[in-house]
Amino acid sequence: MHVLVVEDDVRVADHVVKGLKAEGWVVDHVADGREALFRVAAETYDVVVLDRMLPNVDGLKILQTMRAAGDPTPVLILSALGDVDSRVKGLRAGGDDYLAKPFAFSELLARVEALSRRKAPVQETTSLSLADLEMNLITRTVTRGGKPIDLTVREFGLLEYLLRNAGRVVSRSMLLEAVWDYSFDPQTNIIDQHVSRLRQKVDKDFDPPLIQTVRGMGYSLRA
């Protein structure tokens, strides 16, 4: 089970993340509202634990954006604002449950487990495509315009992530964590190098180009 914890209080975040991991959950943590928007747009989670008051983008704005985009992921709002009006506002914004701080971890865990049971099972995807680019996840093959494209394991993983998030902007940190499985190092240019090589194979002899650079943000695969 995969949960996203969006919490800027270091002590609270550490408590929740360690507790969920000890229970066997796979946990991602972000402390910034803008980064949280990137994550919920790019990843699939079973539950989101969402603080209300966050840097850059408020928690309720994140929740409203998710629901407007048709994202049904169950959300547990975690907030120091525990009065009735605040709870009602959070639930009406699209929250599935509301837990006020301070809280007992056992209660948070029980609520997260209950929310995870609400999510409908996701049908396994066997192929991905955009325009004339096609990827078969069973045979691990890629074609464009019917012509086979030979990719390395890393290039295949990079293209798969871009295809799963086609039309969305994905940051370099998201690509590093998803494809290389390590945190963002501002000094590395490994992403740019691999995207450049991937472009040579996917875009060079085809029209229109699909891999777009979004200045100051990252990359996007768009028709």
Side-chain angles (χ1 to χ4, degrees):
M1 305 299 284
H2 197 184
V3 60
L4 174 66
V5 175
V6 186
E7 172 62 67
D8 65 329
D9 185 308
V10 176
R11 183 184 59 82
V12 173
D14 186 61
H15 178 56
V16 173
V17 170
K18 285 183 177 179
L20 289 173
K21 285 184 176 180
E23 294 294 327
W25 286 70
V26 176
V27 184
D28 290 344
H29 168 243
V30 296
D32 177 90
R34 186 176 294 116
E35 180 65 19
L37 281 174
F38 275 119
R39 291 299 184 94
V40 295
E43 300 285 347
T44 298
Y45 293 100
D46 295 289
V47 178
V48 175
V49 178
L50 180 65
D51 187 18
R52 277 197 57 175
M53 295 179 289
L54 296 164
N56 296 315
V57 181
D58 177 74
L60 291 190
K61 179 63 177 177
I62 295 170
L63 182 53
Q64 290 165 347
T65 301
M66 290 173 64
R67 299 309 186 228
D71 185 344
T73 304
V75 174
L76 169 61
I77 300 172
L78 192 62
S79 177
L81 302 174
D83 59 276
V84 173
D85 287 344
S86 294
R87 295 200 301 271
V88 169
K89 187 175 182 181
L91 294 171
R92 284 181 172 170
D96 297 273
D97 200 354
Y98 199 109
L99 183 60
K101 301 175 184 177
F103 58 90
F105 177 76
S106 58
E107 182 179 3
L108 180 140
L109 177 62
R111 289 171 181 261
V112 168
E113 289 174 340
L115 289 177
S116 72
R117 293 192 290 269
R118 294 187 189 178
K119 190 172 183 183
V122 179
Q123 185 174 1
E124 183 179 1
T125 301
T126 59
S127 63
L128 300 168
S129 63
L130 180 69
D132 58 348
L133 178 66
E134 298 183 358
M135 171 179 283
N136 188 309
L137 299 173
I138 304 300
T139 61
R140 307 288 289 179
T141 55
V142 176
T143 62
R144 183 161 186 195
K147 297 180 181 179
I149 298 175
D150 185 27
L151 300 178
T152 66
V153 172
R154 195 70 76 184
E155 289 167 348
F156 188 94
L158 182 59
L159 183 59
E160 179 183 350
Y161 190 82
L162 290 171
L163 274 167
R164 287 186 184 276
N165 296 281
R168 300 170 175 166
V169 178
V170 294
S171 66
R172 290 172 176 81
S173 61
M174 291 164 63
L175 289 170
L176 273 172
E177 291 182 15
V179 183
W180 278 262
D181 196 28
Y182 58 81
S183 298
F184 179 61
D185 176 0
Q187 302 303 316
T188 185
N189 63 348
I190 189 172
I191 294 294
D192 301 311
Q193 293 174 355
H194 276 78
V195 169
S196 178
R197 287 196 286 268
L198 186 61
R199 270 196 176 115
Q200 289 294 310
K201 297 180 178 183
V202 172
D203 282 342
K204 183 179 179 182
D205 297 322
F206 301 94
D207 189 61
L210 299 179
I211 302 175
Q212 309 292 327
T213 299
V214 182
R215 189 178 298 275
M217 298 182 68
Y219 296 97
S220 181
L221 195 69
R222 300 173 182 170

